Structure formats: structure tokens, C-alpha cells
Amino acid sequence: MKKAAIIWIVTIMTVSCLLTGCRQQSMEEAGKPLEYTVVEPDEVPAELQAKMEESKEAGFKLTYRTQESLYIAEGYGKQPTGGYSVAVRKLMLNDSAIDFETEMIGPQSGEKVSKEPSYPYIVVKTEYREQNVVFK
């Protein structure tokens, strides 16, 4: 009797999954990707640029809002050489916040780089939103 009930439940679940497309979505996948542009250094608002300069040695995670735009900036602090860059992995709006994830990319093996320290960072601009930004 129990075996028949278990088979019946499994059958109903399987049919339900087939009819609804049964796709498990993780919490990280939930949300809406936001459009953005990477801001050139000479186009970063002066107030944000000043805050970035204050924190460039240790790194920073900053936001700056104007009436039309939201700027999100992340810096990785002092690196021993040149050749580093920063890429956006995710900029997503979910129910409670904006998720922002970047990654620092180091120099390629054998790549000629400056021997001077560098301070890799990225600034992106998206449409104005009230939600808090969560740096991942």
C-alpha cells in the first residue's frame, strides 16, 4: 500500500514538472539583468572620483547617485604591477537590492607589464534606482 502511494506521488510530481517546465532557479539567478555602460575615467563625476582617490590604496566599493543615474564603482586596491583589469560578472536587480559582482583579471603569463604599482577599478553607470547595491 505504501509503495503504491509513493509511486503515485512520484508520478504526479514528474507529470507536474513536465507540464510546467520544471526548472530549478537558484537565488543567485533570480532577478532582472540591468543595462549599464562602463564609465571612462574622464567621465566619472568629480565627487565620486575624489572618494575613489581617497580609498584607492586599500580598495573601495562605492555608489553615487544623480537625478538620472546610478554609478557603481569597485576598486581592488594596490597591485604590484600593471596589467590588471576589472570585468563585470553581474549587475542584477532583484526584489530587495541590486547585486553587483566583478572580478579582477591579472596579467597574462609572459605579458609585458609596467613595473609600477597599479590600482585596478571599474565604474559602471545605469539608470537611477533607489535600491541598495550589494557587492558580491
Side-chain angles (χ1 to χ4, degrees):
M1 181 73 169
K2 284 185 180 182
K3 192 173 188 179
I6 292 173
I7 292 173
W8 179 246
I9 291 171
V10 170
T11 303
I12 290 173
M13 290 175 60
T14 303
V15 170
S16 294
C17 282
L18 292 173
L19 293 175
T20 62
C22 193
R23 179 175 175 261
Q24 184 177 7
Q25 186 175 34
S26 73
M27 292 302 287
E28 287 189 2
E29 291 175 346
K32 172 187 162 194
L34 294 177
E35 291 186 21
Y36 65 90
T37 56
V38 175
V39 180
E40 295 296 323
D42 61 336
E43 296 175 0
V44 174
E47 189 175 333
L48 177 57
Q49 184 68 46
K51 290 179 181 179
M52 291 166 47
E53 186 64 30
E54 289 174 9
S55 303
K56 77 177 190 178
E57 288 280 330
F60 53 83
K61 295 177 180 190
L62 300 168
T63 60
Y64 179 80
R65 289 175 170 85
T66 65
Q67 288 183 349
E68 304 87 28
S69 302
L70 167 63
Y71 293 84
I72 306 170
E74 184 165 10
Y76 281 80
K78 185 176 182 178
Q79 302 301 313
T81 65
Y84 291 85
S85 62
V86 180
V88 175
R89 296 200 61 186
K90 177 172 66 170
L91 181 60
M92 180 125 5
L93 176 65
N94 64 42
D95 291 338
S96 59
I98 297 169
D99 293 332
F100 184 62
E101 183 177 346
T102 65
E103 71 175 319
M104 183 173 63
I105 302 165
Q108 299 279 332
S109 178
E111 178 182 353
K112 289 188 177 188
V113 296
S114 167
K115 301 273 188 229
E116 297 296 314
S118 62
Y119 304 87
Y121 71 90
I122 194 165
V123 178
V124 300
K125 177 182 173 182
T126 189
E127 93 179 38
Y128 178 86
R129 298 195 180 273
E130 289 282 332
Q131 289 89 348
N132 289 328
V133 175
V134 176
F135 292 85
K136 302 233 173 183

